[in-house]
């Protein structure tokens, strides 16, 4: 259903808006085909970084490389064939059905003018991609609903289906589970993890990050302060430093991954 995982890296990224520096000197290579969790407190720069690697914000310095090519030098159409971005705020005013919203994800793969599908094979491929995305996001029962009437969680899952029909090499998710119930949070991230797409997901829930992310990258005040395998990075001192929270990190009793138990707020953030 999806394209080959793409290589994505940021090199010395800086994003300035007016006098404010939102990101500074951010360099990291995202693990191809794996899920990287983007962590950090409110205002740390997670959305700014996602928008920069999606090609929506042009960095003031540095560059983003997609399979070795400068992402910001690609045409919007080429970028859209490779990079799918599920943003935090969905426009709720569109008078479309959920089916039409999902279908919008195919736009980058279509010609500039509507033409009949040229072969039966192409037609079959379109149908298979659509069906695969709808099944992966569990939205089959929502397709004929009108988009503005969907709940926040239902919209999030429809947006995932829209991202998947793009057949992206890179999937960027900004707080993708914030409206989902517990079952759908686990299902959503489990599905994403199984896709084998290079994925970057901004998350606030450290327990979900520990469970579903192969790697995590941690931002604080627009700078990258840690990056590596989740079990190396998600430590009690890191949580104290970045979030100002006293937490105990243990091994999960049933799974081989960190299990985070918070104890309370610290008076202030600690130095690393
Ligand atoms: N257009 C703008 N002009 C000035 N500052 C901005 C602008 N957009 C964002 N910021 C600031 O940049 C910082 C980073 O914002 P960003 O949305 O990337 O943070 P975030 O880590 O995604 O936060 P959250 O967890 O709250 O979603 C914040 O302090 C925000 O207020």
């Amino acid at each position: 259903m999806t394209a080959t995982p793409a290589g994505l890296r940021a090199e010395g990224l800086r994003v300035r808006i007016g006098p404010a520096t939102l990101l500074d000197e951010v360099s990291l290579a995202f693990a191809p085909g794996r899920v990287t969790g983007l962590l950090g407190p409110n205002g740390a720069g997670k959305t700014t970084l996602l928008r920069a690697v999606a090609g929506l914000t042009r960095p003031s310095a540095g560059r983003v490389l997609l399979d070795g090519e400068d992402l910001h030098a690609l045409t919007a159409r080429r970028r859209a064939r490779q990079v799918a971005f599920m943003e935090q705020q969905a426009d709720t005013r569109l008078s479309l059905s959920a089916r039409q919203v999902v279908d919008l994800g195919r736009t980058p793969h279509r010609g500039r003018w509507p033409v009949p599908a040229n072969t039966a094979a192409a037609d079959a491929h379109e149908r298979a991609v659509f069906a695969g995305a709808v099944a992966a996001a569990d939205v089959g029962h929502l397709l004929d609903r009108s988009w503005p009437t969907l709940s926040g969680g239902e919209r999030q899952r429809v947006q995932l289906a829209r991202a998947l029909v793009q057949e992206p090499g890179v999937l960027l998710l900004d707080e993708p589970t914030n409206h989902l119930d517990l079952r759908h949070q686990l299902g959503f991230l489990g599905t994403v993890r199984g896709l084998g797409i290079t994925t970057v997901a901004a998350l606030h829930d450290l327990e979900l990050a520990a469970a579903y992310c192969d790697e995590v990258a941690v931002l604080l005040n627009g700078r990258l302060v840690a990056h590596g395998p989740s079990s190396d990075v998600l430590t009690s001192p890191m949580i104290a430093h970045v979030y100002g929270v006293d937490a105990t990190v243990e091994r999960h009793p049933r799974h081989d991954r960190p299990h985070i138990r918070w104890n309370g707020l610290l008076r202030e953030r600690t130095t690393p």
Side-chain angles (χ1 to χ4, degrees):
M1 181 174 77
T2 54
T4 319
L8 180 71
R9 64 189 298 136
E11 285 186 354
L13 276 194
R14 179 180 304 140
V15 174
R16 280 209 182 117
I17 298 186
T21 301
L22 277 55
L23 274 189
D24 207 9
E25 284 299 318
V26 172
S27 296
L28 78 162
F30 296 100
R34 316 291 292 272
V35 180
T36 300
L38 198 54
L39 308 181
N42 290 142
K46 302 179 296 295
T47 298
T48 306
L49 178 57
L50 286 175
R51 290 183 61 83
V53 298
L56 300 179
T57 301
R58 191 171 278 277
S60 331
R63 56 188 191 152
V64 178
L65 297 174
L66 180 66
D67 283 336
E69 285 190 86
D70 185 342
L71 179 91
H72 289 89
L74 301 178
T75 62
R77 188 178 171 80
R78 260 194 77 197
R79 223 167 42 219
R81 283 180 176 210
Q82 275 284 63
V83 180
F85 184 22
M86 197 175 132
E87 295 197 66
Q88 208 180 120
Q89 312 285 354
D91 187 342
T92 54
R93 293 159 306 175
L94 299 173
S95 60
L96 297 174
S97 66
R99 184 188 306 280
Q100 287 169 314
V101 171
V102 176
D103 194 57
L104 283 176
R106 286 306 288 166
T107 310
H109 294 280
R110 294 196 174 121
R112 285 177 201 284
W113 295 279
V115 285
N118 43 7
T119 64
D123 228 12
H125 178 73
E126 289 288 314
R127 278 200 302 272
V129 168
F130 191 91
V134 164
D138 186 21
V139 293
H141 60 298
L142 299 174
L143 290 177
D144 294 323
R145 291 275 306 278
S146 126
W147 171 252
T149 68
L150 298 179
S151 76
E154 289 167 344
R155 262 198 293 274
Q156 250 169 347
R157 281 158 40 216
V158 170
Q159 279 190 296
L160 176 66
R162 182 188 53 76
L164 296 183
V165 298
Q166 266 179 264
E167 296 184 282
V170 169
L171 183 59
L172 305 173
L173 307 169
D174 197 354
E175 295 184 33
T177 54
N178 61 350
H179 288 294
L180 300 184
D181 63 60
L182 183 58
R183 184 178 172 80
H184 278 110
Q185 286 178 30
L186 307 187
F188 184 106
L189 291 173
T191 297
V192 164
R193 194 180 156 96
L195 294 170
I197 302 175
T198 306
T199 299
V200 188
L203 294 171
H204 279 302
D205 187 324
L206 302 185
E207 194 71 12
L208 285 180
Y212 291 99
C213 298
D214 302 293
E215 295 195 346
V216 293
V218 186
L219 291 172
L220 182 63
N221 299 328
R223 288 180 174 267
L224 183 69
V225 294
H227 177 214
S230 314
S231 49
D232 293 354
V233 174
L234 290 171
T235 61
S236 181
M238 187 285 284
I239 295 168
H241 172 54
V242 171
Y243 294 98
V245 167
D246 172 22
T248 305
V249 181
E250 298 159 331
R251 300 308 299 174
H252 191 282
R254 300 262 302 270
H255 312 283
D256 181 32
R257 60 176 177 80
H259 171 49
I260 296 138
R261 185 162 49 80
W262 54 263
N263 305 312
L265 296 181
L266 293 167
R267 206 178 285 266
E268 55 192 37
R269 292 189 170 115
T270 61
T271 46

